[in-house]
Amino acid sequence: MANSASGDSMVHRLVRVIAAFDSEHPTLSGAELARRAALPSSTAYRMVDELLAESLLDRDGQRLRLGTRLWELVSRGSKVLGLREAALPFMEDVQAVVGHHTTLGVIDQQDVLYIERIGSNNSTINITRVAGRLPIHATSTGLILTAFGPTEAQETFLRRLPKLTDATVTDPDELRRMLAEMRHSGYCVMPGTIVPESTGVAVPVFSADGTAIAGLSVVIPRENGPVQPSITALRTAARGISRALGWDGTLRDAIRRSL
Amino acid sequence: MANSASGDSMVHRLVRVIAAFDSEHPTLSGAELARRAALPSSTAYRMVDELLAESLLDRDGQRLRLGTRLWELVSRGSKVLGLREAALPFMEDVQAVVGHHTTLGVIDQQDVLYIERIGSNNSTINITRVAGRLPIHATSTGLILTAFGPTEAQETFLRRLPKLTDATVTDPDELRRMLAEMRHSGYCVMPGTIVPESTGVAVPVFSADGTAIAGLSVVIPRENGPVQPSITALRTAARGISRALGWDGTLRDAIRRSL
């Protein structure tokens, strides 16, 4: 595969072009795209022509945006789509019962990546967004997935813990103890670790082989009474999602007994 | 940009690699990928290495799948995400009121591309899926968007009309009359045009500039009494989505008066 004079691969340059577009920059001029992707203009314009020909970019008047076809190609083959389609009806149930933002997140490259979020605009403060990332240790989703994840990943994670608010736990021993507790209880409650006003509550979603593949979470106002109803709603819904993914309830009990 | 000996561009080969994965083939071996993408093995393996390095592909045991990072990059910058995020709360309202599958579709490259679908598994038969396509003239979404779309697109569309079921309308004159009626009424009701047992009902969603950018639709059992409640729920929700997208209600009235 052809590399540029600077040695970076075609695929890497393509990633830079796609990553130049985001929710703050949904459309770009050719010059803006070249600058944001750190590409020489001639390279950028040549790539734009090819990407337009394949409908990976679309024209939007004088500007460019990611092509709907690119979204389609990626969505059809992505495991994210299957997971979020299985989860969405159950997320609506949680939303109906709890009445606050409900999110679905996975761990990807040492972050929590949110793949779905539903909720009204009246819901409590929630900085998560679909396709947005947050640090693992600052989120209930990240912690519950770490608690139910492989031991090596836990140790890697415990070595890098920046503080985000006064409530963010960064002491490895305290976190180790919290993770053990979460494995036992099956849920994580984190008050004010990212935004002081909110509490995150998360439970794991299991795939057919018993892996904790996603975290189902609600963000509720911190001073909003007991969290138990949220935990109950989440656990109920997470069982439904897991079952829709082929999970056999007995498997998880087996895993829990072995812990 | 480098072209292969066979003359197709790097971008085109990359599209073939991504398109090799879909909901029926979420994971592929290297050899399967090369075959489905119609690439020489050596080219395919070289591309796989680069795509793995950029996390555009992930390993899944011995197999490959599209990378979660690819979904993330594409979703963050895609107009699809903004549209479906604006629509989702209102789609839940329709789902709650009508109780059947609710879909959001756009016209892309002479098809209807469904970008969101919600509904219970108990809902009526519905062959739409997220990131799936259907022919424009066979769907209520496609017809209502054609009715509210540019005249040239209507004429192009009327020239190519394969029949899908006995109920699919393929006579250009009858369709022209139907489209005019839909522009006037603001909705489309299509009984059994794809699946004989179901009726599709769709209304347009407008963007800030008054363009009909998406169709909001429900699929209801064909023998299920009057469709008026579905129409009312859809029109109400579509106004909400359009307003969330910056649409000014008066603009549409102006458009309708001009028809």
Side-chain angles (χ1 to χ4, degrees):
Chain A
M1 195 165 304
N3 285 357
S4 71
S6 61
D8 58 1
S9 76
M10 176 57 219
V11 170
H12 184 64
R13 281 176 281 161
L14 190 71
V15 167
R16 295 214 305 269
V17 167
I18 295 174
F21 297 88
D22 60 26
S23 52
E24 277 80 49
H25 305 85
T27 68
L28 295 170
S29 69
E32 287 165 350
L33 177 57
R35 192 168 59 245
R36 284 179 56 86
L39 289 170
S41 300
S42 57
T43 308
Y45 281 100
R46 211 162 49 230
M47 289 184 72
V48 164
D49 283 343
E50 290 201 26
L51 292 165
L52 285 169
E54 298 288 339
S55 300
L56 300 194
L57 290 182
D58 288 339
R59 284 199 190 283
D60 189 345
Q62 293 299 302
R63 300 174 69 80
L64 299 161
R65 65 185 318 154
L66 293 184
T68 300
R69 177 159 161 72
L70 180 60
W71 172 85
E72 176 192 9
L73 281 174
V74 169
S75 294
R76 275 205 296 217
S78 165
K79 72 174 172 183
V80 169
L81 190 67
L83 186 53
R84 61 166 289 281
E85 282 210 86
L88 204 47
F90 299 98
M91 294 178 69
E92 287 159 21
D93 298 342
V94 172
Q95 169 68 18
V97 172
V98 178
H100 291 289
H101 274 120
T102 307
T103 66
L104 188 73
V106 297
I107 289 188
D108 187 70
Q109 299 174 330
Q110 313 188 322
D111 293 310
V112 175
L113 172 67
Y114 290 93
I115 63 173
E116 190 52 279
R117 181 182 87 152
I118 64 172
S120 68
N121 295 328
N122 305 327
S123 303
T124 185
I125 297 167
N126 183 350
I127 63 167
T128 61
R129 347 176 255 194
V130 177
R133 289 173 178 264
L134 285 175
I136 290 177
H137 73 296
T139 66
S140 55
T141 299
L143 287 177
I144 196 71
L145 287 175
T146 305
F148 280 86
T151 317
E152 322 82 79
Q154 282 178 29
E155 289 306 316
T156 311
F157 151 76
L158 289 166
R159 268 180 249 120
R160 25 166 236 107
L161 298 166
K163 207 166 184 70
L164 299 167
T165 72
D166 287 346
T168 317
V169 180
T170 54
D171 175 50
D173 287 333
E174 189 181 346
L175 267 172
R176 229 178 246 112
R177 187 190 56 70
M178 287 168 61
L179 293 174
E181 211 173 279
M182 290 175 206
R183 274 196 302 277
H184 179 72
S185 69
Y187 62 82
C188 171
V189 177
M190 294 292 284
T193 46
I194 289 202
V195 180
E197 297 84 353
S198 322
T199 291
V201 186
V203 302
V205 169
F206 296 94
S207 62
D209 66 0
T211 309
I213 49 158
L216 181 69
S217 171
V218 288
V219 180
I220 58 180
R222 197 166 173 181
E223 311 299 348
N224 201 36
V227 294
Q228 191 57 53
S230 298
I231 296 169
T232 305
L234 286 172
R235 294 187 71 166
T236 308
R239 287 186 64 93
I241 302 170
S242 302
R243 213 164 40 240
L245 296 171
W247 165 77
D248 167 4
T250 58
L251 194 55
R252 181 181 164 199
D253 294 336
I255 291 167
R256 293 186 71 187
R257 271 196 304 277
S258 74
L259 289 168
Chain B
M1 194 165 306
N3 284 359
S4 69
S6 60
D8 57 0
S9 77
M10 175 59 219
V11 169
H12 185 64
R13 281 176 281 159
L14 190 72
V15 167
R16 294 214 306 268
V17 167
I18 296 174
F21 297 89
D22 60 27
S23 53
E24 277 81 48
H25 305 86
T27 69
L28 295 170
S29 69
E32 287 165 352
L33 176 57
R35 194 169 56 246
R36 282 178 57 84
L39 288 171
S41 298
S42 56
T43 308
Y45 282 100
R46 211 163 48 231
M47 288 183 73
V48 164
D49 283 344
E50 290 199 28
L51 292 165
L52 284 169
E54 298 290 338
S55 300
L56 300 195
L57 290 182
D58 288 341
R59 284 200 189 283
D60 188 344
Q62 294 300 302
R63 300 175 68 81
L64 301 160
R65 66 186 316 155
L66 292 184
T68 301
R69 177 159 160 71
L70 181 58
W71 172 86
E72 177 192 6
L73 282 174
V74 169
S75 294
R76 274 206 295 220
S78 163
K79 73 173 170 183
V80 170
L81 190 68
L83 186 53
R84 63 165 287 281
E85 283 212 84
L88 203 47
F90 298 99
M91 293 178 71
E92 287 158 21
D93 297 343
V94 173
Q95 168 67 20
V97 171
V98 177
H100 291 287
H101 274 121
T102 308
T103 65
L104 188 72
V106 296
I107 288 187
D108 187 67
Q109 298 172 333
Q110 313 188 321
D111 293 309
V112 175
L113 173 67
Y114 289 92
I115 62 173
E116 188 54 277
R117 181 182 86 153
I118 65 171
S120 69
N121 295 326
N122 306 327
S123 302
T124 187
I125 296 167
N126 183 350
I127 63 167
T128 60
R129 1 175 244 192
V130 177
R133 288 174 179 265
L134 284 175
I136 289 178
H137 73 296
T139 66
S140 55
T141 300
L143 287 177
I144 196 71
L145 287 175
T146 304
F148 280 86
T151 316
E152 321 84 77
Q154 283 178 28
E155 289 305 316
T156 310
F157 151 76
L158 288 167
R159 267 180 249 121
R160 23 167 238 109
L161 299 166
K163 205 165 184 73
L164 298 167
T165 72
D166 287 346
T168 316
V169 180
T170 54
D171 175 52
D173 286 334
E174 188 180 346
L175 269 172
R176 230 178 245 113
R177 189 190 53 70
M178 288 167 61
L179 293 174
E181 209 172 282
M182 291 175 206
R183 274 197 301 276
H184 180 72
S185 70
Y187 62 83
C188 170
V189 177
M190 293 291 282
T193 45
I194 290 201
V195 180
E197 298 83 353
S198 319
T199 292
V201 186
V203 302
V205 169
F206 296 94
S207 61
D209 66 2
T211 308
I213 49 159
L216 182 68
S217 170
V218 288
V219 180
I220 57 179
R222 198 165 171 182
E223 310 300 347
N224 202 36
V227 294
Q228 190 57 53
S230 298
I231 296 169
T232 305
L234 287 171
R235 295 187 71 165
T236 308
R239 287 185 65 93
I241 301 170
S242 302
R243 213 163 42 238
L245 295 172
W247 167 76
D248 167 3
T250 57
L251 195 53
R252 182 181 164 201
D253 294 336
I255 291 167
R256 292 186 70 187
R257 270 196 305 276
S258 75
L259 289 170

